[in-house]
Amino acid sequence: MMLAESLVLSAILFVIGTFGVLVRRNAIIIFLCIELQLNAVNLAFVALSQYVGIEGQVFVFFVMTVAAAEAAVGLALIIAIFRHYETVNVDQFNLLRS
Amino acid sequence: MSETETKATDTVRCTIDGREVVVPRGTTILHAAEKVGVKVPHYCYHPGIPSRPAMCRMCLVEVEKMPKLQPACVTPVQDGQVVRTEGANARRMRQAVLEFYLLNHPLDCPVCDQSGECKLQDYVFAEGRKHGRGTEPKRVFGRDDFGGDVLFYGDRCVMCTRCVRFMNEIAEDPRLCVVERGDRSIIDTFFEEGLAGSPWAGNIVDICPVGALVSKDFLHKQRAWDLDHTPSICPNCSQGCNIQLHVRDNAVQRLRPRPNLDVNGYWMCDYGRQRYEWMNSGERIEAAMVRESGRAKAVGWPEALARAAEALRGAAAAGVVALASPFHSNEDLAATAALVGALGGGSLLYRSELAANEVRCPGYPGLARRRELAPNGRGAELLGFRRVGDEHASGDLEELTTHGGVLIVLGDPLLDADASFGTGAQAFLYANPHTSAAARHAHFVLPVTTFAEAEGTFTNFAGRLQRFWPGLAAPGMARPAWQALWAIAAALTGQIAPTTAAEAFRRIGRQVAELEGLTYEQIGPTGAPLPASVSGSVR
Amino acid sequence: MTRPEPGRASYVRAALKGMALTFRHLVNPHKVTYQYPEERYPLSPRWRGTHRMEVHADGRPKCVACGLCPTVCPANCIRLVGGEDDNGNRYPIVYEIDEFRCIFCGMCQEVCPVEAIHVGQHYENAEYSRDRFVYDLDRLMAQDHPVTHLWDPSDPRTE
Amino acid sequence: MEKVAGTAFLIASSAKVVATFTLVLLSVAYITLLERRLAAFMQDRRGPNRVGPFGLLQPIADGLKNLLKEETSPAAASRFYFFLGPMLSLMPATVIFAVVPFAAPLPTPWGVVDMIVADLPVGILFVLALSSLAVYGIVLGGWASNNKYAFLGALRSSAQMVSYEVALGLSLVAVLMLAGNVTLTEMVWRQQQLDWWFAFPLALAFLLFVISAFAENNRLPFDLPEAESELITGYHTEYSAMKFSMFFIAEYAHLLTNSALMATLFLGGWDIPFWRGDDMFWVGGALVSGFDATGAPLLAEPAWWKTALTLAAFAAKTSFFVFLYIWVRWTLPRFRYDQVMHLGWKVMIPTALAYIMLIGGTILVLDALRTPYGFTYGLVLTAVSLVATGLFVFVLDRDRIIGGADLTRRRSGTEYQRAEMIVASDL
Amino acid sequence: MAEVFFYLLAALAIGGGVGMVTRKNPVGSLLFLVLTLASLAGIFVLLDAHFLAAIQVVVYAGAIMVLFLFVIMLLNLGHDYQPDIRGGLWMVMGFALSGLLGGILAQRFGGGGELTGALLPVAGGPGAVRALVEEHNAVGAIAGPMFRDYLVPFEVTSVLLLVAIVGAIVLAKRRI
């Protein structure tokens, strides 16, 4: 049920996430956009799992786990970078040029 | 040799309370004691009243070799006499006398206006018995309206008769007498005739040692101990009576004469006594104002003075006229003159009210309510001001109304000025303590103080310089006029303006030759006559 | 109180002990404190609280506006304007006490020659606004709480 | 007897929603009064007793006052989030109650009505989800106030709630293992079947859950986020009037739902002890009260009086936990922040994990021995759990685990110096 | 009924996503993302993934987003923000790329019914999951495969989490 609509919604959200990653400079918001992309994919998995089988949901579970790990490491990185540069603007993370 | 002889014959040497004193022969013990700082209690004796009935019996002192106590106010000292005012007998006697006084005196100090400045209160507190022994009911007279400003509480009277004797001997208008005898004796007026109309009757309230005679004007208004006393000069006529401003809550509550034997003795007239309310008037100018495109705008002093100096300098070429009020001090008037001088000179005018006649005090020669009802007309004359106007301090404004140059008005309320007053002037500077309709066209309105708020001097009718002191706090931004005017003058000439009243007074010496070198210290608290000639030539 | 040796301090038992204590207080009807609104702390006869003006039988204030209380008041909290009524008696036209400024020293009561103004045994003075703490003459006369006995006239030691 | 369906189901559900929400809010109001009165009695005072008989109208007066009070909002606050904070705080607290069964099913002419607002298939997970959202309200409120105390309170609160959520969830795992499902209705049923309330066979989980629930709820001794003395009440420092009230209502609603949850999870929910008449559960579309020896279901007999009785039992159990909350609050002092974190991460979580192992192992052994799910089953688990709990409490009752203020000083010199050196090198 | 809810939640999710991308304030962005996540949780429920819906809220909204919020506050970006949305060229690029992506996805999934039909041969047919959930319950349905067929990946994720925790602590504690 609602398969096509769910997939379209998933696509829209993924596109929004992609757009956000491209146009935002704030590293934290870029991270948030990536989370949105992951969620869009999750939605696709769940939608399809209705027809394909419960394994899709299991995979979503793993995606969430990875997302949690990614968030922890990513945020730790942002904190570390922020300590060094005093900013979270990705344009200023020019490690080689500092 | 002759000196010692003179001493032996004209002076006597005596000992009062262990202190030796040499006084002229015929001096009373009371005066001699005063000289060594011993105050002998008394009620009936008053230094301003010639008669000495010695009837209050408070001043009884022990005199050696005299078996009985002697009244100090009438007993002259003898050579070698030894007087003890604090001897056991004298003290016992005074205590007994006070107990007698308190037999019939009501203990209504809480509601008595004299409370706090009452001699009976003071003496009883100092020497009286702790507890009364009287059990009999006190006789009751109630109170009596004596007319005029005076109210009489018969119960409180100690029968010193100062009031009766004042009316007889100083006012020479015998309207009071003692009626009845013994403990029923009481002061009374003659039938229906009260004190109304007597120009000096207010003084009997001052000299009453207790609360028997109180002022209706001051009745229940303030407590005596709350009042601050500031030495000043009565501003209501050119006699220049020395007075005290009695102040509470930054308002003058009453005026009291201040003894000065050269001017007013111990007295002042009711006319002056009653006219103090204007010093408390709330209709004051409280901020310096500058007219900008037709509207008055409040500005700070520095800006007002700077702009006034500029405007005055620009308009001075068309002539300068200054109209000052003789209610302002010599310092203020001299500052006005100095400002006019700095602008290249011009006419200095003043107006003052003249009463129809003088009101002389028969018993004190030299004291009168003078015709000129302003304190400093003489000072204005001396500083080069010319009297204009009629006896109501009005008229003669035509010259000012049409004047086209600089117009300076200090203190004159301009009550008779028409609506166009000042429109012609290029620069119209108006400095006045009180608001006035005549300021409507003024380019600069400066808030200045009254005499009660500033230090300064008045010159009385006889050319006597007398100082007064500030008793009130100036409202708002008000400053003494001399400060403001001198500041403008200084800005025009590049001189340094005086910063204290004493300095401002010394500056007068540059303008008036007679005052050259005279200082506040030389004038002192009781004033000083102008030296030599008083013709008032202006430099 | 001594600190227990390291490793000997109790946490669970102490917490339970505390909870037992509070529970005992919860159920115990015999309170050790004054149960305030119902039960009031008995004030000393010399307790000095907000003021009260005594009145004559005909409702006039006993005050004769002598001015001694504003004079003696160390906090300068009394405002008094005296006047004369139709019978020639001195009386207070304005009599205000700023209870916020008042330090409750009781000197006004001590100095009063006609025993008109008193400090009283009263302490519940909550109001909704500050200006209500300036007690005017009517309010002072309307107070009916017991007045303070600054000293016992029959016992010279207390004076 | 059938479940209600169709229009009757919609009407019944709406009625339950309205009634439950009203009752929750009303209870919240009166819990505030109860708390104040009980606190007063514990401290030998009177408490609010002036508004209405025994002060019963006090909560209404307070509510009116808060409605009429001036709303203040700090000049430098983020207006929108400042408003959002209290709303986000109130919402989860009131919604959680939806999944709590509060009485035995009620028979009506149109069918049997379950006495639960929404019997979600994810049950307890829904509770966890919503209580994890509660932190947003507090964090946003504290952050949007633009006040350093509020902000500190918010940070503490988020850290504390995230930490204790883990312990809460882990202590629940034991319950889930024993219940075999996540819906709360089934948990009640399983407790009825076991003849043991889970508080006994899962005693340590119960203890950990209670402690974690206290911490989740920011109640003493874990009220660090609002610590009056250090943070001037923390995240709601800048709030006034109705917005403050919403935080307040949220806190008490949390207290109520937590109490109801503890009653449901560990004290058998609406179950009346030692009486089988109230046992009923939907099995395959029929309301059964149990199974006979052959495993055939016995039909239950729902009745309105059973519903009423079970509702009273549920209320009594919930009230007990509410009382416990209040009792603890007015007895125990506040932890230090490092102690809170220490307790959460280094004591509660490992203990919960170990306990899961223990219970899991025990269940495995019992199942392997083919012990029937019943009294004996529960007895064995109770014995194991009580031993574990005793051990835990014994260890906890020493200052090795939660140190006093002078713990650092009491450490050996070298260790202390090394700590100092580390600090120095960090600077 | 379910359709109405679906479209409502979809609108909320898209609105949240757009809000997240356009908000200047990181906290605002984050809250919009939380809105999207919550809406997705609702859609999961409609798609018979009850357990995932709960986990979505617990893990994403309740833990990961709180972690983000915590970091935003820890960095104390305060209440004044530099606008960090890139300028014209990047915008054009963003629109172009995401448009392209959208186009591809639309083309790929655009067929709706046919597409699902194309994918379906692999599957157990519509309603397979629902039946599974009916049989076991919401948790049991997913627990079965996870702890039987995917036990090794499940355990590996725990190792991943452990590594992530250690890594995060090391990164956050040290200055680089």
Side-chain angles (χ1 to χ4, degrees):
Chain A
M1 154 202 165
M2 294 278 160
L3 177 61
E5 289 88 342
S6 301
L7 290 177
V8 169
L9 176 62
S10 160
I12 293 172
L13 291 179
F14 191 84
V15 167
I16 291 173
T18 314
F19 182 73
V21 170
L22 287 174
V23 300
R24 294 301 294 252
R25 287 198 187 90
N26 188 325
I28 291 177
I29 293 180
I30 290 175
F31 244 109
L32 291 178
C33 293
I34 294 172
E35 296 291 340
L36 183 61
Q37 286 175 314
L38 286 174
N39 264 279
V41 173
N42 281 357
L43 178 59
F45 270 118
V46 171
L48 285 167
S49 85
Q50 287 187 104
Y51 296 88
V52 180
I54 198 78
E55 289 80 6
Q57 293 190 14
V58 175
F59 204 83
V60 169
F61 184 84
F62 289 139
V63 171
M64 283 183 189
T65 319
V66 173
E70 168 243 346
V73 176
L75 288 173
L77 268 171
I78 288 178
I79 288 178
I81 291 171
F82 181 81
R83 284 209 191 130
H84 191 76
Y85 289 100
E86 298 277 309
T87 179
V88 287
N89 189 329
V90 286
D91 282 0
Q92 290 169 26
F93 297 167
N94 288 314
L95 289 169
L96 290 177
R97 262 195 275 149
S98 72
Chain B
M1 180 63 201
S2 65
E3 197 182 326
T4 49
E5 259 183 20
T6 314
K7 208 174 183 179
T9 53
D10 294 344
T11 65
V12 292
R13 178 187 296 270
C14 65
T15 309
I16 298 173
D17 283 353
R19 271 168 282 193
E20 251 185 26
V21 64
V22 179
V23 291
R25 186 174 294 278
T27 308
T28 61
I29 295 174
L30 193 133
H31 283 155
E34 240 167 39
K35 214 173 169 188
V36 293
V38 175
K39 285 196 171 154
V40 183
H42 57 269
Y43 290 129
C44 64
Y45 166 76
H46 188 278
I49 302 176
S51 65
R52 292 170 191 185
M55 61 196 288
C56 71
R57 312 314 285 174
M58 270 306 286
C59 63
L60 294 176
V61 293
E62 294 175 22
V63 180
E64 212 159 71
K65 294 178 188 143
M66 287 195 173
K68 285 191 170 181
L69 301 175
Q70 297 297 315
C73 64
V74 292
T75 313
V77 287
Q78 305 294 326
D79 210 12
Q81 227 170 22
V82 177
V83 177
R84 281 190 300 276
T85 67
E86 295 295 324
N89 271 342
R91 293 178 75 108
R92 208 173 62 236
M93 181 55 125
R94 281 204 294 271
Q95 203 173 49
V97 169
L98 284 170
E99 196 175 4
F100 272 122
Y101 278 129
L102 288 175
L103 272 183
N104 279 317
H105 191 96
L107 297 180
D108 60 352
C109 300
V111 297
C112 177
D113 267 347
Q114 193 79 1
S115 181
E117 52 185 10
C118 173
K119 284 278 191 264
L120 186 59
Q121 219 178 22
D122 294 350
Y123 294 158
V124 171
F125 183 73
E127 299 186 301
R129 296 180 59 84
K130 284 234 161 46
H131 298 282
R133 290 180 292 183
T135 52
E136 298 79 10
K138 299 184 175 188
R139 55 117 170 87
V140 176
F141 289 130
R143 71 180 192 183
D144 191 2
D145 187 349
F146 271 9
D149 187 40
V150 182
L151 204 58
F152 178 64
Y153 284 86
D155 306 336
R156 297 176 187 157
C157 180
V158 293
M159 208 47 67
C160 67
T161 69
R162 275 183 183 183
C163 48
V164 177
R165 288 178 287 129
F166 172 84
M167 292 307 289
N168 289 350
E169 297 164 25
I170 308 297
E172 295 190 3
D173 183 11
R175 301 200 191 196
L176 296 177
C177 70
V178 181
V179 298
E180 294 280 7
R181 296 180 65 83
D183 71 342
R184 296 182 309 280
S185 54
I186 188 172
I187 311 294
D188 209 349
T189 54
F190 292 106
F191 306 109
E192 294 306 306
E193 190 188 355
L195 291 171
S198 166
W200 305 96
N203 289 306
I204 66 173
V205 175
D206 299 346
I207 61 175
C208 182
V210 291
L213 292 165
V214 295
S215 159
K216 286 181 204 166
D217 178 53
F218 189 67
L219 190 69
H220 303 328
K221 204 158 84 174
Q222 291 293 343
R223 304 301 292 180
W225 60 78
D226 285 332
L227 299 169
D228 294 328
H229 301 177
T230 307
S232 188
I233 301 298
C234 176
N236 293 313
C237 80
S238 58
Q239 172 73 23
C241 292
N242 287 214
I243 58 163
Q244 279 178 334
L245 307 177
H246 284 194
V247 175
R248 174 114 207 266
D249 299 336
N250 204 35
V252 177
Q253 306 288 351
R254 64 177 177 187
L255 304 182
R256 273 279 168 98
R258 177 162 61 102
N260 185 347
L261 296 180
D262 293 328
V263 182
N264 59 324
Y266 299 87
W267 323 115
M268 70 185 292
C269 65
D270 286 4
Y271 176 87
R273 189 188 292 273
Q274 286 156 7
R275 278 163 182 70
Y276 62 87
E277 274 301 332
W278 65 270
M279 302 171 202
N280 305 334
S281 165
E283 295 171 344
R284 294 292 295 266
I285 301 171
E286 294 198 4
M289 283 186 284
V290 171
R291 188 165 300 279
E292 267 176 0
S293 58
R295 297 177 61 88
K297 179 184 153 220
V299 297
W301 269 112
E303 187 187 343
L305 295 177
R307 291 174 63 172
E310 200 178 323
L312 263 50
R313 191 201 311 273
V320 181
V321 177
L323 175 67
S325 160
F327 276 86
H328 280 267
S329 66
N330 287 326
E331 288 78 357
D332 293 352
L333 298 175
T336 311
L339 176 57
V340 171
L343 291 167
S347 32
L348 297 167
L349 310 174
Y350 80 94
R351 304 192 299 177
S352 67
E353 195 178 343
L354 289 182
N357 54 344
E358 282 187 356
V359 181
R360 294 191 161 275
C361 178
Y364 199 85
L367 173 60
R369 210 286 316 285
R370 301 288 164 186
R371 282 195 66 202
E372 183 168 36
L373 298 179
N376 207 19
R378 184 61 187 271
E381 295 276 356
L382 204 61
L383 287 159
F385 286 78
R386 179 163 57 84
R387 183 189 165 80
V388 293
D390 57 17
E391 63 270 23
H392 301 299
S394 63
D396 281 350
L397 289 180
E398 296 78 13
E399 186 192 346
L400 278 66
T401 310
T402 58
H403 180 66
V406 174
L407 180 55
I408 300 170
V409 178
L410 171 63
D412 197 305
L414 295 169
L415 295 176
D416 55 327
D418 53 26
S420 66
F421 184 84
T423 44
Q426 286 179 42
F428 178 11
L429 177 71
Y430 188 71
N432 193 348
H434 300 100
T435 52
S436 164
R440 66 175 79 85
H441 297 302
H443 299 105
F444 302 96
V445 179
L446 304 180
V448 296
T449 57
T450 65
F451 85 103
E453 293 151 6
E455 194 176 354
T457 56
F458 284 143
T459 312
N460 82 346
F461 76 101
R464 184 182 177 86
L465 277 166
Q466 301 191 103
R467 291 180 65 186
F468 55 83
W469 283 264
L472 300 176
M477 285 165 56
R479 294 281 177 279
W482 58 260
Q483 249 177 25
L485 299 178
W486 262 116
I488 298 174
L492 291 171
T493 59
Q495 283 179 311
I496 294 170
T499 52
T500 63
E503 202 182 328
F505 179 73
R506 275 203 302 279
R507 292 280 181 97
I508 302 176
R510 297 186 192 169
Q511 293 161 315
V512 184
E514 284 81 358
L515 300 179
E516 181 82 64
L518 202 61
T519 63
Y520 271 3
E521 287 73 27
Q522 288 164 357
I523 297 173
T526 53
L530 281 180
S533 152
V534 286
S535 59
S537 62
V538 178
R539 237 184 230 173
Chain C
M1 200 174 150
T2 54
R3 222 172 241 293
E5 289 292 305
R8 310 280 302 174
S10 157
Y11 285 86
V12 178
R13 275 173 295 151
L16 292 178
K17 223 192 271 178
M19 288 179 70
L21 179 76
T22 44
F23 193 78
R24 272 204 302 281
H25 276 270
L26 176 68
V27 295
N28 182 11
H30 305 292
K31 306 293 190 189
V32 296
T33 54
Y34 285 101
Q35 301 299 297
Y36 164 60
E38 278 78 31
E39 203 182 343
R40 311 226 165 173
Y41 188 83
L43 295 177
S44 155
R46 298 175 67 155
W47 166 278
R48 301 187 295 263
T50 45
H51 297 79
R52 179 178 163 187
M53 172 71 77
E54 296 283 341
V55 293
H56 288 296
D58 58 357
R60 287 183 298 118
K62 279 189 177 173
C63 174
V64 295
C66 70
L68 283 175
C69 45
T71 304
V72 79
C73 179
N76 211 2
C77 67
I78 305 179
R79 190 166 90 86
L80 169 65
V81 175
E84 197 183 36
D85 67 9
D86 298 337
N87 303 323
N89 297 315
R90 212 183 148 107
Y91 82 109
I93 298 171
V94 176
Y95 192 96
E96 287 176 355
I97 298 186
D98 187 340
E99 301 286 354
F100 265 174
R101 274 190 158 211
C102 178
I103 60 167
F104 301 101
C105 60
M107 276 156 84
C108 46
Q109 173 175 348
E110 210 167 325
V111 81
C112 185
V114 290
E115 301 194 351
I117 191 71
H118 285 82
V119 277
Q121 299 194 14
H122 191 248
Y123 54 85
E124 287 159 323
N125 301 310
E127 292 287 356
Y128 284 105
S129 69
R130 280 168 176 271
D131 49 345
R132 291 272 298 150
F133 280 96
V134 180
Y135 287 14
D136 61 7
L137 186 60
D138 291 339
R139 178 131 181 229
L140 289 166
M141 284 159 63
Q143 303 283 353
D144 55 359
H145 49 74
V147 299
T148 303
H149 297 285
L150 287 182
W151 61 81
D152 179 1
S154 62
D155 185 359
R157 283 173 306 171
T158 57
E159 190 166 351
Chain D
M1 288 296 243
E2 301 249 310
K3 256 191 197 182
V4 281
T7 319
F9 171 77
L10 282 180
I11 293 171
S13 297
S14 312
K16 278 187 291 185
V17 167
V18 171
T20 313
F21 188 70
T22 315
L23 263 173
V24 166
L25 285 190
L26 208 62
S27 312
V28 162
Y30 279 92
I31 288 171
T32 62
L33 178 67
L34 183 74
E35 167 134 44
R36 292 169 72 184
R37 290 304 300 263
L38 288 184
F41 292 151
M42 285 177 189
Q43 296 166 354
D44 289 355
R45 291 186 286 112
R46 302 292 301 176
N49 62 352
R50 291 289 146 136
V51 192
F54 307 106
L56 281 179
L57 298 180
Q58 183 72 39
I60 294 160
D62 287 344
L64 270 179
K65 185 197 80 170
N66 272 330
L67 273 175
L68 297 176
K69 262 182 90 166
E70 185 192 357
E71 290 268 5
T72 56
S73 135
S78 307
R79 191 61 60 88
F80 177 71
Y81 304 113
F82 192 70
F83 269 85
L84 200 61
M87 293 180 199
L88 281 185
S89 187
L90 184 58
M91 190 274 291
T94 45
V95 172
I96 288 177
F97 210 89
V99 297
V100 178
F102 47 85
L106 177 72
T108 61
W110 307 278
V112 178
V113 178
D114 277 342
M115 286 291 106
I116 176 170
V117 175
D119 190 9
L120 291 185
V122 286
I124 196 76
L125 290 176
F126 176 79
V127 173
L128 282 181
L130 279 175
S131 57
S132 69
L133 287 183
V135 72
Y136 279 102
I138 291 173
V139 169
L140 269 186
W143 172 79
S145 300
N146 203 5
N147 171 320
K148 63 180 78 144
Y149 296 108
F151 185 59
L152 268 179
L155 280 184
R156 278 184 175 193
S157 159
S158 56
Q160 177 181 324
M161 287 175 88
V162 169
S163 307
Y164 276 84
E165 215 170 84
V166 181
L168 190 86
L170 287 178
S171 63
L172 264 178
V173 169
V175 180
L176 299 183
M177 285 195 300
L178 194 51
N181 203 343
V182 293
T183 60
L184 289 155
T185 42
E186 189 157 348
M187 282 182 196
V188 175
W189 167 246
R190 295 288 283 188
Q191 292 184 62
Q192 288 169 342
Q193 291 298 299
L194 191 61
D195 289 332
W196 285 91
W197 288 348
F198 285 172
F200 302 100
L202 301 173
L204 189 51
F206 179 45
L207 184 61
L208 294 177
F209 189 89
V210 169
I211 295 174
S212 305
F214 271 64
E216 276 281 285
N217 204 356
N218 294 333
R219 292 279 296 195
L220 268 166
F222 299 102
D223 71 334
L224 281 301
E226 31 192 284
E228 291 90 342
S229 47
E230 356 169 353
L231 290 180
I232 47 173
T233 72
Y235 59 89
H236 53 59
T237 296
E238 296 284 4
Y239 282 91
S240 63
M242 210 51 217
K243 291 207 283 284
F244 170 77
S245 260
M246 283 164 82
F247 273 125
F248 206 72
I249 293 170
E251 182 181 331
Y252 280 86
H254 249 298
L255 188 154
L256 183 67
T257 46
N258 276 356
S259 301
L261 267 181
M262 285 190 271
T264 308
L265 291 177
F266 294 102
L267 289 194
W270 44 264
D271 179 42
I272 298 172
F274 312 118
W275 184 46
R276 293 214 152 255
D278 63 330
D279 297 2
M280 50 188 84
F281 188 64
W282 294 102
V283 177
L287 202 59
V288 297
S289 72
F291 302 93
D292 58 12
T294 60
L298 302 171
L299 283 185
E301 291 160 6
W304 67 267
W305 54 271
K306 284 185 182 175
T307 306
L309 274 181
T310 48
L311 183 63
F314 177 78
K317 291 170 189 176
T318 307
S319 305
F320 167 73
F321 282 107
V322 168
F323 172 71
L324 183 72
Y325 263 108
I326 295 169
W327 187 10
V328 167
R329 172 170 179 187
W330 296 102
T331 305
L332 298 184
R334 184 180 303 133
F335 278 111
R336 224 169 45 219
Y337 195 67
D338 64 313
Q339 291 172 333
V340 171
M341 285 293 130
H342 184 104
L343 185 70
W345 287 101
K346 296 191 190 166
V347 179
M348 306 272 291
I349 294 175
T351 310
L353 281 171
Y355 188 63
I356 289 170
M357 304 267 288
L358 181 67
I359 289 295
T362 314
I363 289 174
L364 212 60
V365 168
L366 284 169
D367 285 351
L369 293 173
R370 301 200 177 281
T371 315
Y373 189 81
F375 183 78
T376 325
Y377 198 93
L379 189 66
V380 174
L381 278 169
T382 305
V384 171
S385 289
L386 286 181
V387 170
T389 311
L391 200 66
F392 175 69
V393 169
F394 180 76
V395 175
L396 199 67
D397 193 26
R398 289 287 177 272
D399 53 356
R400 293 290 178 206
I401 293 203
I402 309 169
D406 55 342
L407 190 69
T408 329
R409 260 181 283 128
R410 284 199 246 131
R411 286 208 179 116
S412 64
T414 50
E415 208 176 323
Y416 187 52
Q417 278 160 15
R418 201 166 63 223
E420 270 197 330
M421 274 165 62
I422 291 166
V423 170
S425 69
D426 220 29
L427 296 171
Chain E
M1 194 68 183
E3 283 84 357
V4 175
F5 274 118
F6 180 87
Y7 286 118
L8 194 72
L9 291 168
L12 277 178
I14 293 170
V18 172
M20 179 198 73
V21 175
T22 51
R23 256 341 62 187
K24 213 165 55 167
N25 178 342
V27 175
S29 284
L30 189 133
L31 287 177
F32 272 111
L33 184 59
V34 171
L35 177 66
T36 304
L37 297 179
S39 312
L40 283 181
I43 290 174
F44 285 2
V45 171
L46 293 178
L47 298 179
D48 291 328
H50 299 281
F51 178 72
L52 281 185
I55 291 297
Q56 168 94 353
V57 179
V58 174
V59 173
Y60 261 117
I64 299 181
M65 288 302 125
V66 172
L67 191 63
F68 270 91
L69 197 58
F70 207 87
V71 168
I72 291 172
M73 290 177 180
L74 206 65
L75 301 189
N76 198 13
L77 300 179
H79 291 249
D80 47 330
Y81 312 97
Q82 308 298 325
D84 66 324
I85 298 170
R86 292 176 196 266
L89 193 62
W90 277 93
M91 279 298 231
V92 172
M93 247 171 77
F95 271 117
L97 256 178
S98 47
L100 187 67
L101 189 65
I104 293 169
L105 285 172
Q107 198 224 343
R108 197 81 186 82
F109 293 156
E114 299 95 292
L115 179 93
T116 53
L119 281 172
L120 281 181
V122 202
V129 168
R130 174 163 296 180
L132 204 62
V133 170
E134 293 279 309
E135 192 187 337
H136 308 89
N137 47 49
V139 184
I142 195 168
M146 199 179 329
F147 289 112
R148 282 194 208 100
D149 310 341
Y150 298 95
L151 184 60
V152 175
F154 180 81
E155 293 300 335
V156 171
T157 50
S158 68
V159 176
L160 172 73
L161 278 176
L162 189 65
V163 171
I165 290 171
V166 173
I169 291 173
V170 168
L171 277 173
K173 275 216 127 175
R174 259 224 325 257
R175 292 187 77 99
I176 55 167

